[in-house]
Coordinates of all heavy atoms in Angstrom, one line a residue:
R266 N -99.6 -60.6 209.5 CA -99.0 -61.0 208.2 C -98.9 -59.7 207.3 O -99.8 -59.0 207.2 CB -100.0 -62.0 207.6 CG -99.4 -62.6 206.3 CD -100.5 -63.6 205.7 NE -100.0 -64.3 204.6 CZ -99.6 -65.5 204.6 NH1 -99.6 -66.2 205.7 NH2 -99.1 -66.1 203.5
N267 N -97.6 -59.6 206.8 CA -97.3 -58.5 205.9 C -96.6 -59.0 204.6 O -95.9 -60.0 204.7 CB -96.4 -57.4 206.6 CG -97.2 -56.7 207.7 OD1 -97.9 -55.8 207.4 ND2 -97.0 -57.1 208.9
I268 N -96.7 -58.3 203.5 CA -96.1 -58.6 202.3 C -94.6 -58.2 202.4 O -94.3 -57.1 202.9 CB -96.8 -58.0 201.1 CG1 -98.2 -58.6 201.0 CG2 -96.0 -58.2 199.8 CD1 -99.1 -57.8 200.0
V269 N -93.7 -59.0 201.9 CA -92.3 -58.7 201.7 C -91.8 -58.9 200.3 O -92.4 -59.8 199.6 CB -91.4 -59.4 202.7 CG1 -91.7 -59.0 204.2 CG2 -91.5 -60.9 202.6
G270 N -90.8 -58.2 199.9 CA -90.3 -58.3 198.6 C -89.0 -57.5 198.5 O -88.5 -56.9 199.5
P271 N -88.4 -57.3 197.3 CA -87.2 -56.6 197.1 C -87.2 -55.2 197.7 O -88.2 -54.5 197.5 CB -87.0 -56.6 195.6 CG -87.7 -57.8 195.1 CD -88.9 -57.9 196.0
G272 N -86.2 -54.9 198.5 CA -86.1 -53.6 199.1 C -86.7 -53.5 200.5 O -86.5 -52.5 201.2
R273 N -87.4 -54.5 200.9 CA -88.1 -54.4 202.2 C -87.1 -54.9 203.3 O -86.4 -55.9 203.2 CB -89.3 -55.4 202.2 CG -90.1 -55.4 203.5 CD -90.8 -54.1 203.8 NE -91.6 -53.6 202.8 CZ -92.2 -52.4 202.8 NH1 -92.1 -51.7 203.9 NH2 -92.9 -52.0 201.8
L274 N -87.1 -54.1 204.4 CA -86.3 -54.4 205.6 C -87.3 -54.8 206.7 O -88.3 -54.0 206.9 CB -85.5 -53.3 206.0 CG -84.6 -53.5 207.3 CD1 -83.3 -52.8 207.1 CD2 -85.3 -53.1 208.5
V275 N -87.1 -55.9 207.4 CA -87.9 -56.3 208.5 C -87.0 -56.4 209.8 O -86.0 -57.2 209.7 CB -88.7 -57.6 208.2 CG1 -89.5 -58.0 209.4 CG2 -89.5 -57.5 207.0
H276 N -87.4 -55.8 210.9 CA -86.7 -55.9 212.1 C -87.6 -56.8 213.0 O -88.8 -56.6 213.2 CB -86.6 -54.5 212.8 CG -85.9 -54.6 214.1 ND1 -86.4 -53.9 215.2 CD2 -84.9 -55.3 214.6 CE1 -85.7 -54.2 216.3 NE2 -84.7 -55.0 215.9
V277 N -87.0 -57.9 213.5 CA -87.6 -58.9 214.4 C -87.0 -58.8 215.8 O -85.9 -59.3 216.0 CB -87.5 -60.3 213.8 CG1 -88.3 -61.3 214.8 CG2 -88.0 -60.4 212.4
P278 N -87.6 -58.0 216.7 CA -87.0 -57.9 218.0 C -87.0 -59.3 218.7 O -87.8 -60.2 218.5 CB -87.9 -57.0 218.8 CG -88.6 -56.2 217.7 CD -88.8 -57.2 216.6
A279 N -86.0 -59.5 219.6 CA -85.9 -60.7 220.4 C -87.3 -61.0 221.1 O -88.0 -60.1 221.5 CB -84.9 -60.6 221.5
G280 N -87.7 -62.3 221.1 CA -88.9 -62.7 221.7 C -90.1 -62.7 220.7 O -91.2 -63.1 221.1
T281 N -89.9 -62.3 219.5 CA -91.1 -62.2 218.5 C -91.2 -63.5 217.8 O -90.2 -64.0 217.2 CB -90.8 -61.1 217.5 OG1 -90.6 -59.8 218.2 CG2 -91.9 -61.0 216.5
R282 N -92.4 -64.1 217.9 CA -92.6 -65.3 217.1 C -92.7 -64.9 215.6 O -93.4 -63.9 215.3 CB -93.9 -66.0 217.5 CG -94.2 -67.2 216.6 CD -95.4 -68.0 217.1 NE -96.4 -67.3 217.8 CZ -97.6 -67.7 218.0 NH1 -98.0 -68.9 217.6 NH2 -98.5 -66.9 218.7
H283 N -92.0 -65.6 214.7 CA -91.9 -65.1 213.3 C -91.7 -66.3 212.3 O -91.2 -67.3 212.7 CB -90.8 -64.1 213.1 CG -89.4 -64.6 213.4 ND1 -89.0 -64.7 214.7 CD2 -88.4 -65.0 212.6 CE1 -87.7 -65.2 214.7 NE2 -87.4 -65.4 213.4
N284 N -92.1 -66.0 211.1 CA -91.8 -66.9 210.0 C -91.9 -66.0 208.7 O -92.5 -65.0 208.7 CB -92.9 -68.0 209.9 CG -92.4 -69.1 208.9 OD1 -91.3 -69.2 208.4 ND2 -93.3 -70.1 208.7
F285 N -91.2 -66.5 207.7 CA -91.2 -65.8 206.4 C -91.5 -66.9 205.4 O -90.8 -67.9 205.3 CB -89.9 -65.1 206.1 CG -89.6 -64.0 207.1 CD1 -89.0 -64.2 208.3 CD2 -90.0 -62.7 206.8 CE1 -88.8 -63.2 209.2 CE2 -89.9 -61.7 207.7 CZ -89.2 -62.0 208.9
V286 N -92.6 -66.7 204.7 CA -93.2 -67.7 203.8 C -93.0 -67.2 202.4 O -93.5 -66.1 202.1 CB -94.6 -68.1 204.1 CG1 -95.2 -69.1 203.1 CG2 -94.8 -68.5 205.5
H287 N -92.4 -68.0 201.5 CA -92.2 -67.6 200.1 C -93.4 -67.9 199.3 O -93.9 -69.1 199.3 CB -91.0 -68.4 199.6 CG -90.6 -68.0 198.2 ND1 -91.2 -67.0 197.5 CD2 -89.6 -68.5 197.4 CE1 -90.6 -66.9 196.3 NE2 -89.6 -67.8 196.2
T288 N -94.0 -66.9 198.6 CA -95.2 -67.1 197.8 C -94.9 -66.9 196.4 O -95.9 -67.0 195.6 CB -96.3 -66.1 198.3 OG1 -95.8 -64.7 198.2 CG2 -96.6 -66.3 199.8
G289 N -93.7 -66.5 195.9 CA -93.4 -66.2 194.5 C -93.0 -67.5 193.7 O -93.0 -68.6 194.2
A290 N -92.7 -67.2 192.5 CA -92.3 -68.3 191.5 C -90.8 -68.6 191.4 O -90.4 -69.6 190.9 CB -92.9 -68.0 190.2
T291 N -90.0 -67.6 191.9 CA -88.5 -67.8 191.8 C -88.0 -67.7 193.3 O -88.7 -67.2 194.1 CB -87.9 -66.8 190.9 OG1 -88.1 -65.5 191.5 CG2 -88.4 -66.9 189.5
D292 N -86.8 -68.2 193.5 CA -86.2 -68.2 194.8 C -86.3 -66.8 195.5 O -86.1 -65.8 194.8 CB -84.8 -68.6 194.8 CG -84.6 -70.1 194.5 OD1 -85.6 -70.8 194.5 OD2 -83.5 -70.6 194.4
M293 N -86.6 -66.8 196.8 CA -86.6 -65.6 197.6 C -85.2 -65.5 198.2 O -84.8 -66.4 198.9 CB -87.7 -65.6 198.6 CG -87.8 -64.4 199.4 SD -89.3 -64.2 200.5 CE -89.1 -65.6 201.6
R294 N -84.5 -64.4 198.0 CA -83.2 -64.2 198.5 C -83.1 -63.0 199.4 O -83.8 -62.0 199.1 CB -82.2 -64.1 197.3 CG -82.1 -65.4 196.6 CD -80.9 -65.4 195.6 NE -80.7 -66.8 195.1 CZ -81.2 -67.2 194.0 NH1 -82.0 -66.4 193.2 NH2 -81.0 -68.4 193.6
L295 N -82.3 -63.1 200.5 CA -82.3 -62.1 201.4 C -80.9 -62.1 202.2 O -80.2 -63.2 202.2 CB -83.4 -62.2 202.4 CG -83.5 -63.5 203.2 CD1 -83.2 -63.3 204.7 CD2 -84.8 -64.2 203.0
S296 N -80.6 -61.0 202.9 CA -79.5 -61.0 203.8 C -80.2 -60.8 205.2 O -81.2 -60.2 205.3 CB -78.5 -59.9 203.5 OG -79.1 -58.7 203.5
T297 N -79.5 -61.2 206.2 CA -80.0 -61.1 207.6 C -78.9 -60.9 208.5 O -77.8 -61.4 208.3 CB -80.9 -62.2 208.0 OG1 -81.5 -62.0 209.3 CG2 -80.2 -63.5 208.0
V298 N -79.1 -60.1 209.6 CA -78.1 -59.9 210.6 C -78.8 -60.3 211.9 O -79.9 -59.9 212.3 CB -77.7 -58.4 210.7 CG1 -76.8 -58.2 211.9 CG2 -77.0 -57.9 209.4
Y299 N -78.0 -61.2 212.7 CA -78.5 -61.6 214.0 C -77.6 -60.9 215.0 O -76.4 -60.8 214.8 CB -78.2 -63.1 214.2 CG -79.0 -64.0 213.3 CD1 -78.5 -64.4 212.0 CD2 -80.3 -64.5 213.6 CE1 -79.3 -65.3 211.2 CE2 -81.0 -65.3 212.8 CZ -80.5 -65.7 211.6 OH -81.2 -66.5 210.8
A300 N -78.2 -60.4 216.1 CA -77.4 -59.8 217.2 C -78.0 -60.3 218.5 O -79.1 -59.9 218.8 CB -77.5 -58.3 217.0
P301 N -77.2 -61.0 219.3 CA -75.9 -61.6 219.0 C -76.0 -62.8 218.0 O -77.1 -63.1 217.5 CB -75.5 -62.1 220.4 CG -76.8 -62.4 221.1 CD -77.8 -61.4 220.6
P302 N -74.8 -63.3 217.6 CA -74.8 -64.4 216.6 C -75.7 -65.5 217.0 O -75.9 -65.9 218.2 CB -73.4 -64.9 216.6 CG -72.6 -63.7 217.0 CD -73.5 -63.0 218.0
E303 N -76.4 -66.2 216.0 CA -77.3 -67.2 216.2 C -76.8 -68.6 215.7 O -77.2 -69.6 216.2 CB -78.6 -66.9 215.4 CG -79.7 -67.9 215.5 CD -80.4 -68.1 216.8 OE1 -80.1 -67.3 217.8 OE2 -81.2 -69.0 216.9
H304 N -76.0 -68.6 214.7 CA -75.5 -69.8 214.0 C -74.0 -70.0 214.1 O -73.3 -69.1 214.4 CB -76.0 -69.8 212.5 CG -77.4 -69.7 212.4 ND1 -78.3 -70.7 212.6 CD2 -78.2 -68.6 212.0 CE1 -79.6 -70.3 212.4 NE2 -79.5 -69.0 212.0
A305 N -73.6 -71.3 213.9 CA -72.1 -71.5 213.9 C -71.4 -70.6 212.9 O -72.0 -70.3 211.8 CB -71.9 -73.0 213.5
P306 N -70.2 -70.2 213.2 CA -69.5 -69.3 212.3 C -69.2 -70.0 211.0 O -69.3 -71.2 210.8 CB -68.1 -69.1 213.1 CG -68.4 -69.4 214.5 CD -69.5 -70.5 214.5
A307 N -68.9 -69.1 210.0 CA -68.6 -69.6 208.6 C -67.4 -70.5 208.7 O -66.5 -70.3 209.5 CB -68.4 -68.4 207.7
P308 N -67.4 -71.5 207.8 CA -66.3 -72.4 207.7 C -65.1 -71.6 207.1 O -65.2 -70.5 206.6 CB -66.8 -73.5 206.7 CG -67.8 -72.9 205.9 CD -68.5 -71.8 206.8
S309 N -64.0 -72.3 207.0 CA -62.8 -71.7 206.5 C -63.0 -71.2 205.1 O -63.8 -71.7 204.3 CB -61.6 -72.7 206.4 OG -61.4 -73.2 207.7
P310 N -62.3 -70.1 204.6 CA -62.5 -69.6 203.3 C -62.3 -70.7 202.2 O -61.4 -71.6 202.4 CB -61.4 -68.5 203.1 CG -61.1 -68.1 204.5 CD -61.3 -69.3 205.4
G311 N -63.1 -70.7 201.2 CA -63.1 -71.7 200.2 C -64.0 -72.9 200.4 O -64.2 -73.7 199.5
R312 N -64.5 -73.1 201.7 CA -65.4 -74.2 202.0 C -66.8 -73.6 202.2 O -67.0 -72.6 202.9 CB -65.0 -74.9 203.2 CG -63.7 -75.7 203.1 CD -63.4 -76.5 204.3 NE -64.5 -77.3 204.7 CZ -64.9 -77.4 206.0 NH1 -64.2 -76.8 207.0 NH2 -65.9 -78.1 206.4
R313 N -67.8 -74.2 201.5 CA -69.1 -73.7 201.7 C -69.8 -74.6 202.7 O -69.7 -75.8 202.7 CB -69.9 -73.7 200.4 CG -69.2 -72.7 199.4 CD -70.1 -72.6 198.2 NE -71.3 -72.0 198.5 CZ -71.8 -70.9 197.9 NH1 -71.2 -70.4 196.9 NH2 -72.9 -70.4 198.3
P314 N -70.7 -74.1 203.6 CA -71.4 -74.9 204.5 C -72.5 -75.7 203.8 O -72.9 -75.4 202.7 CB -72.1 -73.9 205.4 CG -72.2 -72.7 204.6 CD -71.0 -72.7 203.7
P315 N -72.9 -76.9 204.3 CA -74.0 -77.6 203.7 C -75.3 -76.9 203.8 O -75.5 -76.0 204.7 CB -74.0 -78.9 204.5 CG -73.5 -78.5 205.9 CD -72.5 -77.4 205.6
P316 N -76.3 -77.2 202.9 CA -77.6 -76.6 203.0 C -78.2 -76.9 204.4 O -77.9 -77.9 205.0 CB -78.4 -77.2 201.9 CG -77.4 -77.9 201.0 CD -76.2 -78.2 201.9
H317 N -79.1 -76.0 204.8 CA -79.8 -76.2 206.1 C -80.6 -77.4 206.0 O -81.3 -77.7 205.1 CB -80.6 -74.9 206.4 CG -81.3 -74.9 207.7 ND1 -82.5 -75.5 208.0 CD2 -80.8 -74.5 208.9 CE1 -82.8 -75.3 209.2 NE2 -81.8 -74.7 209.8
Q318 N -80.5 -78.3 207.0 CA -81.1 -79.6 207.0 C -82.6 -79.5 207.3 O -83.3 -80.4 207.0 CB -80.4 -80.5 208.0 CG -79.0 -80.8 207.6 CD -78.9 -81.4 206.2 OE1 -79.5 -82.3 205.8 NE2 -78.0 -80.7 205.4
S319 N -83.1 -78.5 208.0 CA -84.5 -78.5 208.4 C -85.4 -77.7 207.5 O -86.5 -77.4 207.8 CB -84.6 -78.0 209.8 OG -84.3 -76.6 209.9
L320 N -84.9 -77.3 206.3 CA -85.7 -76.6 205.3 C -87.0 -77.5 205.0 O -86.9 -78.7 204.8 CB -85.0 -76.4 204.0 CG -85.8 -75.7 202.9 CD1 -86.3 -74.3 203.3 CD2 -84.9 -75.6 201.7
R321 N -88.1 -76.8 205.1 CA -89.3 -77.6 204.7 C -90.2 -76.7 203.8 O -90.2 -75.5 203.9 CB -90.1 -77.9 206.0 CG -90.4 -76.7 206.9 CD -91.0 -77.1 208.2 NE -91.1 -76.0 209.1 CZ -92.1 -75.2 209.2 NH1 -93.1 -75.4 208.5 NH2 -92.1 -74.2 210.1
T322 N -90.8 -77.3 202.9 CA -91.8 -76.6 202.1 C -93.0 -76.4 202.9 O -93.3 -77.2 203.9 CB -92.1 -77.2 200.8 OG1 -92.6 -78.5 201.1 CG2 -90.9 -77.3 199.9
C323 N -93.8 -75.4 202.7 CA -94.8 -75.0 203.6 C -96.1 -74.7 202.9 O -96.6 -73.6 202.8 CB -94.4 -73.7 204.4 SG -95.5 -73.4 205.7
P324 N -96.8 -75.8 202.3 CA -98.1 -75.6 201.7 C -99.1 -75.4 202.8 O -100.2 -74.8 202.6 CB -98.4 -76.8 200.9 CG -97.5 -77.9 201.6 CD -96.3 -77.1 202.1
R325 N -98.8 -75.8 204.0 CA -99.7 -75.7 205.1 C -99.6 -74.4 205.8 O -98.5 -73.7 205.7 CB -99.5 -76.8 206.1 CG -98.2 -76.6 206.9 CD -97.5 -77.8 207.4 NE -96.3 -77.6 208.1 CZ -95.2 -77.0 207.5 NH1 -95.2 -76.7 206.3 NH2 -94.1 -76.9 208.2
P326 N -100.6 -73.9 206.5 CA -100.4 -72.6 207.2 C -99.6 -72.7 208.4 O -99.4 -73.8 208.9 CB -101.9 -72.2 207.6 CG -102.6 -73.5 207.6 CD -101.9 -74.4 206.6
T327 N -99.0 -71.6 208.9 CA -98.3 -71.6 210.1 C -99.3 -71.5 211.3 O -100.5 -71.3 211.0 CB -97.3 -70.5 210.2 OG1 -98.0 -69.3 210.2 CG2 -96.3 -70.5 209.1
T328 N -98.9 -71.6 212.5 CA -99.8 -71.6 213.6 C -100.6 -70.3 213.6 O -101.7 -70.3 214.1 CB -99.1 -71.6 215.0 OG1 -97.7 -71.3 214.8 CG2 -99.2 -72.9 215.6
C329 N -100.1 -69.2 213.1 CA -100.8 -67.9 213.1 C -101.8 -67.7 212.0 O -102.6 -66.9 212.0 CB -99.8 -66.8 213.1 SG -98.7 -66.7 214.5
D330 N -101.6 -68.4 210.9 CA -102.3 -68.1 209.6 C -103.8 -68.0 209.7 O -104.4 -67.2 209.1 CB -101.9 -69.1 208.5 CG -100.6 -68.7 207.8 OD1 -100.2 -67.5 208.1 OD2 -100.1 -69.5 207.1
R331 N -104.4 -68.9 210.6 CA -105.9 -68.9 210.6 C -106.4 -67.5 211.0 O -107.4 -67.1 210.5 CB -106.3 -69.9 211.7 CG -106.4 -71.3 211.2 CD -107.0 -72.2 212.2 NE -106.5 -72.0 213.6 CZ -105.4 -72.5 214.1 NH1 -104.7 -73.3 213.3 NH2 -105.0 -72.3 215.3
D332 N -105.8 -66.9 212.0 CA -106.4 -65.7 212.6 C -105.6 -64.4 212.3 O -105.9 -63.4 212.8 CB -106.5 -65.9 214.1 CG -107.2 -67.1 214.5 OD1 -108.3 -67.3 213.9 OD2 -106.8 -67.9 215.4
A333 N -104.6 -64.5 211.5 CA -103.7 -63.4 211.2 C -104.4 -62.3 210.4 O -105.0 -62.6 209.4 CB -102.4 -63.8 210.5
P334 N -104.3 -61.1 210.9 CA -104.8 -60.0 210.1 C -103.9 -59.9 208.8 O -102.7 -60.1 208.9 CB -104.6 -58.7 210.9 CG -103.7 -59.1 212.0 CD -103.7 -60.6 212.1

Side-chain angles (χ1 to χ4, degrees):
R266 186 182 186 102
N267 291 280
I268 296 169
V269 293
R273 181 64 55 186
L274 181 145
V275 178
H276 177 226
V277 181
T281 303
R282 180 174 24 166
H283 62 281
N284 194 9
F285 295 88
V286 179
H287 184 1
T288 60
T291 61
D292 286 357
M293 183 167 65
R294 292 192 169 94
L295 61 115
S296 62
T297 185
V298 175
Y299 297 92
E303 175 74 5
H304 301 286
S309 304
R312 290 186 49 223
R313 296 188 69 126
H317 188 266
Q318 297 302 309
S319 67
L320 175 63
R321 57 188 167 90
T322 56
C323 190
R325 72 206 178 299
T327 64
T328 18
C329 295
D330 277 346
R331 280 188 311 278
D332 305 315

